[in-house]
Amino acid sequence: TGPMSLECLENLLRITLSTEYFEDIYLSLFVVDQSGTAWELDEAMAAQCGYTVTYSTWGSIEFRASALSCHSHLEKDVFTVTVQIKASHSPDMSNATTHLKSASCRYGPWSPRELICESNYMEVSVRREVPQAIKDIVQDEPEDWTPVFPEAKAEESSIWQIVFHQPEEKRALLVSNAWSAGYGLRATDGRVLLRVPYTAAHVQLVEDQGITFAVLRSSTFYKYRWVILMVDTAVACPADGVDYTNKTITWTVPKYIPPLSAGVTSFKDVLVEAGVDLHKLSAKEMASRKYVLLNELKAITMKIPIGAEGGYYKTCVSNGQLGVKYTINLILEHQWEDDKQRRTKHTIIKEIETPFEQAEVAIANNLNLNARLMNVTVGKFLPDVELVNLTIEGAVVAVPEAVQHGYLIHRTRYADGSKAYVIEVPLDAPSVKKEYMREDMRAYTLNVTLTFITYPSSETFVVPVIVLSAVKDAVLPSARGFCDGRNLHLFITRGNVDQNWLPFVSDRHLTQEAAQKYNYILKDNGTHLAISVPFLSPHVSYEGFHTSAIKASFYLTLKDGITLAQRRDFSVSCIFSPSELIQCLPNGTVIVTAIKLVDNEDLNTALLVLRDRQCKPSLVTGTTATFRFNVNTCGTSRKFNSTTMTYENEVLYFRPGNDAPTYQLKFLCSYAVKQTADVPFEPKKNLPPSTKPGFGCLALSLKLFKEKSYSEPYQESEYPVIKYLKEALYFEVQLLQPKDARLDLNLDDCWVTSSQRQDSLPQWPILMHGCENNKDSYRTVFHEVHYSLRVKFPQHLKRFEVRMFTFFQGTSLSQE
């Protein structure tokens, strides 16, 4: 209970730190000796002194201590261990809270020899016995001790020393040197102990029955009164022996390996037990979990189904890919007696981890139409996974800050401890891409990348989330059309799907420049698109021609601005009088326009002629040909009656090699024979054009831009702007209201003052009567304004460049 819980497990003490209490906290772990001194624990000290610290996937921290660990206090059959834990919310451990825990465990009776194979060290402890006779001493090789004994006896002032049996030599180390080399040694009243980290220099890898063991063969000498005694402190722990087949873990441990059975010829099993998480299981418990324990002649085998109760899955990352591994912490205890009636207890703690298995991340989209929310569930994930940030439109956003971008994130926990992340995003969030699909359907696409981290390994992986929702909320653009005497008008009301749709006529993008070229009027304010086209225009189709009427149509297509896919077609059709095709001027000049009907696709308007084939059109488009001639030319015939004179001609088209016309348009002009007109005439000198003064409200703006491109103005927060002498300043004056294409903006006078008051002194003119100041050393430079998405009416803007200068006050520069 509380922040720590403890458990006595025979010759081991386990202390578990509470997940909830120590979550998201920095920890330092200390062990306290009998004098009250606290020793901070690190990996090297833990392996040397008999401590193990593990971090489980579920977030708990486990501390284990051997009964004969460096700082434990032994009294009869009770060993006591005291730990101190400092917890802080800061990595520098400032303002740390200290927790002290002391635990006592009873263990006994001890076997003559006990071996522990922990995850980070090997340990052997041997009972201290005074031999009755030399013949009772067990030797691994008869000649081993003769050269060793002088080495051990040479340091008579030392309490004990250790000799390592290497294949090439034997080497003796004093206690102090052994400690410096990372070995742990301890002598109690009844036992001699040696602890060996797996990384120690004298550890050898030895193979037995195909299984590799970490082995250290050694002899430890200790003084007993006036004699020096020696014990065999060999230790061996399996390094492998695990196989994974058919979704089953098979762990094989050979019995009676040679380093542990020197000089012994026969053995008898006393006990074989196994379990999980340091708890031994009965045969019934093993059967319920489908565990199998086989005690064979030469080996002990344990079989565990992958995913069985007692183990757990943890998250792993390999080459950026998410996966899982199944982990189970097994314990095997083997006790045997040899032919010398000595009992050995061999305890092996083995954490087994299955190979990496790639995992897929489930992504579910639960659209909430009523709330217009995309509700996306990502996962399940194991408890060791945490979402740390999102990448939204290229920007990395921490989870707490995601709400500022319209993202609401929360965790969902399940009964088995796993969890999922739920992301709620409004359909109208800027980062949600909206795209027209068909009819009344719009596609909403959420494209966000989630970055996760695993604990305690701190591995990261990403999960791209691309979710598409189809919603029936598309509002398509609509149009109405009408005509006046000489123009066709199309008025389009935009919907909610056509913000980036562009107008096209005859597969040509209708820009402002193109509209001006053809004398069209194009207006687009974002919500409405208005187009006016003259009756005689290149993009007008003529679909019917009768003596009393001409049917003319104008077709417009809206295309996707990115894919250029055709999205919507509009048209306006009107009936015009044929009289629109001809003008009979009083001076005898005739202007006639011939039109090509839509069913005459092969007609080339450039080849149209009058009766006199030398008379060719003066203006040709794809659908019209305009002729301008005098009534006395081009084969024109005339007729008289009492009141009128009528001139008649024809527009003809001849196919190559054919003298019969395939196109014939007859036209005539009639003039009154007698007509009186009063024409006032007063000679005047030609006056220059002038403007008529008027009164009204104009909204103007003056902006300073950062570059000659005039793409980015200075914002209010950036003032005052620091500039150096002679550095260019780019100004733009814009007529904001009214937005009338007939208006032109002209600058008359523009001057600079040293304060914000326009009438303050001194002043310096930079524009005078619309021109640059000739007295200026660096004259004002005008920049041409072109149409763009920002500039709808170029005639409403004036741009000019001025070089930076300052005012003089007497002989000093002004500081303004």
Side-chain angles (χ1 to χ4, degrees):
T1 61
M4 290 179 278
S5 61
L6 60 88
E7 196 173 9
C8 295
L9 301 161
E10 296 190 0
N11 57 350
L12 291 173
L13 165 69
R14 174 164 61 188
I15 298 177
T16 304
L17 307 188
S18 168
T19 303
E20 297 179 358
Y21 193 90
F22 292 105
E23 188 175 12
D24 300 327
I25 290 181
Y26 296 92
L27 299 176
S28 291
L29 186 61
F30 300 79
V31 287
V32 182
D33 61 18
Q34 296 180 47
S35 67
T37 303
W39 301 82
E40 186 169 7
L41 199 61
D42 57 23
E43 290 185 9
M45 176 182 172
Q48 186 176 25
C49 283
Y51 305 116
T52 303
V53 180
T54 61
Y55 301 84
S56 80
T57 295
W58 310 98
S60 63
I61 300 176
E62 182 176 301
F63 167 82
R64 297 197 295 267
S66 166
L68 295 175
S69 57
C70 293
H71 308 94
S72 64
H73 173 61
L74 277 77
E75 188 172 349
K76 295 184 178 179
D77 291 337
V78 176
F79 66 95
T80 302
V81 177
T82 302
V83 296
Q84 175 182 287
I85 295 180
K86 292 186 177 180
S88 173
H89 291 279
S90 302
D92 61 359
M93 301 305 294
S94 59
N95 300 319
T97 303
T98 300
H99 303 270
L100 194 66
K101 190 74 171 180
S102 183
S104 298
C105 295
R106 182 176 297 277
Y107 176 63
W110 289 78
S111 297
R113 178 172 64 170
E114 295 199 3
L115 301 101
I116 298 178
C117 296
E118 257 283 12
S119 59
N120 58 333
Y121 65 85
M122 303 182 288
E123 179 182 293
V124 55
S125 69
V126 181
R127 182 184 299 164
R128 296 178 63 168
E129 295 178 332
V130 179
Q132 299 299 319
I134 298 299
K135 62 182 180 65
D136 293 331
I137 300 177
V138 178
Q139 299 178 350
D140 53 358
E141 292 180 11
E143 69 276 8
D144 272 354
W145 308 126
T146 304
V148 170
F149 186 78
E151 293 177 346
K153 191 178 179 182
E155 293 291 337
E156 291 185 351
S157 60
S158 66
I159 299 177
W160 55 326
Q161 61 183 1
I162 183 170
V163 175
F164 298 105
H165 299 250
Q166 300 291 101
E168 64 279 358
E169 64 176 352
K170 297 179 178 64
R171 184 178 178 187
L173 289 181
L174 300 179
V175 175
S176 58
N177 295 332
W179 271 98
S180 299
Y183 296 96
L185 301 103
R186 183 172 182 180
T188 67
D189 291 343
R191 305 189 74 81
V192 174
L193 173 133
L194 171 65
R195 189 175 297 111
V196 186
Y198 288 104
T199 57
H202 299 92
V203 172
Q204 304 169 29
L205 295 180
V206 176
E207 189 172 299
D208 183 60
Q209 301 180 40
I211 307 300
T212 302
F213 280 79
V215 173
L216 180 74
R217 296 180 66 243
S218 64
S219 300
T220 302
F221 292 82
Y222 65 95
K223 291 183 178 181
Y224 180 78
R225 297 181 180 176
W226 56 84
V227 297
I228 296 176
L229 301 178
M230 177 185 71
V231 293
D232 182 1
T233 49
V235 62
C237 292
D240 54 23
V242 181
D243 187 30
Y244 312 95
T245 54
N246 300 323
K247 298 290 183 179
T248 301
I249 300 170
T250 302
W251 179 31
T252 303
V253 180
K255 294 180 177 179
Y256 323 122
I257 62 172
L260 301 181
S261 55
V264 179
T265 58
S266 64
F267 307 91
K268 181 181 69 174
D269 281 344
V270 175
L271 180 69
V272 174
E273 289 184 314
V276 175
D277 198 25
L278 302 182
H279 290 280
K280 297 172 186 176
L281 300 176
S282 66
K284 184 177 179 180
E285 290 172 322
M286 286 196 177
S288 68
R289 301 185 183 196
K290 298 183 180 180
Y291 295 0
V292 176
L293 180 62
L294 300 175
N295 184 12
E296 298 172 320
L297 181 61
K298 293 185 178 181
I300 301 170
T301 302
M302 195 171 184
K303 295 183 178 182
I304 307 292
I306 294 177
E309 179 187 352
Y312 61 88
Y313 284 96
K314 69 178 181 179
T315 306
C316 299
V317 180
S318 177
N319 297 322
Q321 296 295 315
L322 174 66
V324 295
K325 294 180 180 180
Y326 175 74
T327 301
I328 188 166
N329 196 15
L330 299 177
I331 182 171
L332 175 65
E333 182 181 310
H334 180 206
Q335 295 187 32
W336 71 87
E337 289 182 351
D338 54 34
D339 55 4
K340 303 297 183 182
Q341 297 183 344
R342 296 187 313 174
R343 177 175 291 196
T344 298
K345 178 182 178 182
H346 196 183
T347 303
I348 304 172
I349 299 170
K350 182 74 171 179
E351 184 178 71
I352 297 177
E353 186 177 88
T354 60
F356 177 87
E357 181 179 350
Q358 188 169 339
E360 298 295 330
V361 179
I363 299 175
N365 178 23
N366 302 303
L367 180 64
N368 186 341
L369 271 179
N370 293 332
R372 289 187 62 79
L373 281 176
M374 298 183 80
N375 187 300
V376 181
T377 301
V378 183
K380 294 183 173 181
F381 295 104
L382 294 174
D384 58 349
V385 170
E386 198 72 33
L387 176 64
V388 290
N389 62 54
L390 305 83
T391 302
I392 305 171
E393 294 183 308
V396 178
V397 179
V399 172
E401 300 169 1
V403 67
Q404 301 173 14
H405 296 259
Y407 288 68
L408 184 62
I409 302 172
H410 60 271
R411 287 181 298 190
T412 298
R413 295 192 181 272
Y414 300 99
D416 61 357
S418 61
K419 59 186 173 184
Y421 287 88
V422 179
I423 305 172
E424 292 184 350
V425 189
L427 289 175
D428 301 316
S431 59
V432 176
K433 180 182 177 183
K434 305 160 190 67
E435 188 175 12
Y436 173 65
M437 295 177 64
R438 62 187 180 277
E439 299 174 353
D440 58 350
M441 301 291 292
R442 273 202 296 180
Y444 291 83
T445 304
L446 173 66
N447 189 341
V448 60
T449 300
L450 309 181
T451 301
F452 295 86
I453 190 170
T454 65
Y455 292 103
S457 59
S458 297
E459 297 176 306
T460 60
F461 64 94
V462 299
V463 177
V465 177
I466 302 176
V467 176
L468 185 145
S469 297
V471 181
K472 289 185 177 182
D473 67 349
V475 178
L476 296 175
S478 58
R480 61 183 179 89
F482 62 93
C483 299
D484 54 23
R486 300 188 60 84
N487 299 283
L488 297 90
H489 304 278
L490 197 60
F491 190 79
I492 299 174
T493 301
R494 291 195 177 273
N496 61 7
V497 297
D498 57 325
Q499 288 77 15
N500 68 332
W501 294 4
L502 304 176
F504 278 74
V505 290
S506 301
D507 288 328
R508 179 185 176 93
H509 181 203
L510 187 60
T511 62
Q512 283 290 353
E513 291 82 354
Q516 291 176 3
K517 175 181 177 181
Y518 296 112
N519 199 28
Y520 300 168
I521 297 177
L522 176 66
K523 296 181 179 179
D524 188 354
N525 64 0
T527 60
H528 296 85
L529 178 67
I531 304 166
S532 298
V533 179
F535 162 63
L536 295 175
S537 299
H539 300 104
V540 173
S541 299
Y542 305 100
E543 300 170 348
F545 192 171
H546 304 280
T547 56
S548 60
I550 301 173
K551 182 182 179 182
S553 299
F554 174 68
Y555 294 91
L556 180 82
T557 299
L558 293 181
K559 293 186 178 183
D560 191 290
I562 299 174
T563 65
L564 296 183
Q566 188 169 321
R567 294 303 191 189
R568 196 81 165 156
D569 294 318
F570 298 106
S571 66
V572 55
S573 298
C574 295
I575 302 299
F576 290 87
S577 171
S579 62
E580 296 292 333
L581 301 178
I582 187 169
Q583 297 181 58
C584 302
L585 302 182
N587 63 357
T589 298
V590 178
I591 303 174
V592 63
T593 299
I595 59 176
K596 180 174 79 170
L597 298 179
V598 292
D599 54 1
N600 290 337
E601 284 297 326
D602 58 345
L603 187 146
N604 186 348
T605 56
L607 300 180
L608 291 171
V609 294
L610 298 179
R611 286 174 179 170
D612 182 351
R613 297 191 185 185
Q614 299 301 316
C615 293
K616 296 180 170 30
S618 58
L619 178 64
V620 175
T621 69
T623 57
T624 65
T626 301
F627 297 85
R628 185 185 183 98
F629 64 97
N630 189 274
V631 294
N632 297 319
T633 61
C634 296
T636 307
S637 62
R638 59 185 175 181
K639 296 178 181 179
F640 295 90
N641 60 30
S642 58
T643 58
T644 60
M645 180 181 294
T646 302
Y647 295 88
E648 183 179 294
N649 207 326
E650 295 175 290
V651 179
L652 305 171
Y653 179 71
F654 297 91
R655 294 185 185 278
N658 194 340
D659 290 334
T662 59
Y663 177 93
Q664 191 173 14
L665 174 64
K666 288 186 178 182
F667 61 91
L668 55 85
C669 286
S670 295
Y671 294 91
V673 174
K674 293 181 180 181
Q675 184 176 2
T676 301
D678 294 329
V679 180
F681 175 74
E682 181 181 355
K684 286 185 178 180
K685 294 181 180 180
N686 290 332
L687 298 176
S690 61
T691 58
K692 183 178 180 181
F695 297 93
C697 295
L698 299 177
L700 298 168
S701 71
L702 173 63
K703 294 180 180 179
L704 176 61
F705 282 75
K706 297 181 178 181
E707 297 177 346
K708 191 175 181 179
S709 62
Y710 288 89
S711 59
E712 184 180 0
Y714 284 101
Q715 304 300 320
E716 290 187 11
S717 60
E718 297 180 89
Y719 285 93
V721 176
I722 306 300
K723 292 287 185 179
Y724 297 99
L725 290 177
K726 299 182 182 181
E727 191 173 350
L729 302 172
Y730 301 101
F731 290 97
E732 177 186 272
V733 182
Q734 182 179 5
L735 174 62
L736 301 176
Q737 293 292 339
K739 294 185 180 295
D740 191 336
R742 297 172 298 173
L743 296 179
D744 283 354
L745 174 65
N746 291 289
L747 303 180
D748 190 31
D749 291 317
C750 185
W751 65 94
V752 179
T753 66
S754 60
S755 70
Q756 295 185 5
R757 289 175 52 86
Q758 63 181 22
D759 57 349
S760 66
L761 295 175
Q763 298 181 357
W764 183 256
I766 55 177
L767 291 179
M768 301 175 65
H769 307 297
C771 301
E772 62 270 19
N773 183 1
N774 293 330
K775 298 179 181 180
D776 207 332
S777 302
Y778 298 95
R779 296 186 180 182
T780 302
V781 178
F782 285 94
H783 294 297
E784 191 173 353
V785 183
H786 299 284
Y787 174 82
S788 66
L789 293 176
R790 188 175 75 86
V791 180
K792 304 298 183 184
F793 303 107
Q795 65 271 28
H796 288 184
L797 286 90
K798 284 292 183 288
R799 291 170 175 170
F800 56 89
E801 173 186 338
V802 178
R803 296 289 175 173
M804 182 65 188
F805 64 88
T806 187
F807 288 102
F808 277 92
Q809 294 179 344
T811 59
S812 301
L813 291 176
S814 172
Q815 297 301 313
E816 297 292 335

